Amino acid sequence: MEEFAILLGEHFVKTYPQVTGSEITIIEKPWEPYRINGKIHHHGFKLGKGSHFCEIQVSKNKPTVVCSGLEGLSVLKTTQSGFEGFVRDNYTLLPEVRERILATEVLSVWCYKSKPSCYNKAFETVKQILLDVFFGPPDAGVYSPSVQNTLYLMGERVLQRLPEIESIKLSMPNLHFIPVNMPKVGVEFNHDVYLPTDEPHGTIEASLTRKNWSRHSKL
Ligand SMILES: O=c1[nH]c(=O)c2[nH]c(=O)[nH]c2[nH]1
């Protein structure tokens, strides 16, 4: 997909003297073959979640910039999440918690400083890293003291593992599951009933770039 976007971008810049640069965005629709009892359906597909996209900038006199991304990846952990250690002042009402549900929809964009051996493989690796860091090991998981902390660690691990990536941005809304606690009508919260809400929520974001970065060097 990235290779095609670069080709398309170069086409406009090379073909038309009046064009100095072009920007191409492609978003993949993750259609997956449908399975019935483990058998792949002959012609049936369903739309999956977590789309791969790319944003390419081709210019007559500047190096090509290639960024890839992932959007719409919904994830949730039922435990091993809290929110603590944040700044408190006279206006802070929120109590710290060490036990809650953590749910979000990951949006991430990363930019390359050199060409990976395969853009699709790099995408799959980044996706896997983001999920692995978010969830932790299957049995024990990993404790998250905040979305901020987890999101930073997710981005950091991508930069550690993929030297061809120069920078990564992550945006993760904090989609609350509010404990239902109504003692006056005899319903006491016992880590059992939650109210899922989409609003209001904070959107937690981070942008991580390698030291001595070179504004997406030549590809
Ligand atoms: O992980 C969190 N980060 C926040 O910034 C925040 N704000 C909030 O109300 N709950 C949380 N949780």
Side-chain angles (χ1 to χ4, degrees):
M1 187 167 77
E2 284 82 353
E3 307 269 11
F4 175 66
I6 295 168
L7 205 66
L8 197 59
E10 286 177 350
H11 166 77
F12 294 113
V13 170
K14 285 181 184 160
T15 310
Y16 300 102
Q18 71 274 32
V19 173
T20 56
S22 66
E23 293 183 9
I24 308 287
T25 300
I26 300 179
I27 306 170
E28 186 179 71
K29 290 279 178 194
W31 289 105
E32 301 164 345
Y34 187 62
R35 286 172 182 269
I36 297 179
N37 295 332
K39 196 166 172 214
I40 293 180
H41 195 279
H42 177 250
H43 51 262
F45 290 79
K46 73 175 173 60
L47 195 56
K49 287 245 181 180
S51 297
H52 177 182
F53 66 90
C54 70
E55 297 170 345
I56 315 294
Q57 291 169 29
V58 180
S59 162
K60 274 213 165 76
N61 45 28
K62 280 190 253 157
T64 295
V65 177
V66 179
C67 303
S68 301
L70 166 69
E71 65 178 7
L73 184 70
S74 298
V75 284
L76 178 151
K77 329 200 286 180
T78 56
T79 187
Q80 289 282 50
S81 159
F83 187 43
E84 51 181 338
F86 49 88
V87 174
R88 303 199 73 84
D89 61 22
N90 288 344
Y91 303 101
T92 309
L93 298 174
L94 194 69
E96 298 201 344
V97 279
R98 285 193 57 82
E99 178 58 49
R100 67 172 183 177
I101 288 180
L102 175 55
T104 188
E105 190 178 294
V106 180
L107 165 65
S108 179
V109 188
W110 54 92
C111 298
Y112 292 94
K113 67 188 173 90
S114 57
K115 192 171 181 285
S117 59
C118 169
Y119 284 106
N120 277 349
K121 205 168 148 234
F123 168 82
E124 290 303 334
T125 306
V126 172
K127 184 175 170 183
Q128 196 62 56
I129 292 170
L130 296 178
L131 289 169
D132 287 355
V133 176
F134 180 85
F135 289 121
D139 296 338
V142 63
Y143 179 67
S144 161
S146 64
V147 178
Q148 283 87 338
N149 179 274
T150 296
L151 156 131
Y152 180 83
L153 296 177
M154 290 160 74
E156 184 186 52
R157 184 79 65 85
V158 170
L159 292 182
Q160 283 165 350
R161 292 275 178 83
L162 288 115
E164 58 270 43
I165 293 180
E166 176 139 79
S167 61
I168 179 163
K169 282 186 199 166
L170 284 142
S171 173
M172 292 170 33
N174 186 17
L175 302 174
H176 300 286
F177 280 66
I178 298 174
V180 173
N181 195 22
M182 299 181 293
K184 283 190 183 155
V185 292
V187 178
E188 298 251 3
F189 178 65
N190 191 23
H191 298 277
D192 46 4
V193 181
Y194 294 84
L195 177 66
T197 55
D198 51 3
E199 297 290 351
H201 68 258
T203 294
I204 321 290
E205 302 195 335
S207 189
L208 285 80
T209 304
R210 290 185 192 283
K211 281 194 180 136
N212 308 320
W213 72 304
S214 56
R215 181 71 203 131
H216 316 312
S217 20
K218 208 182 289 173
L219 283 162

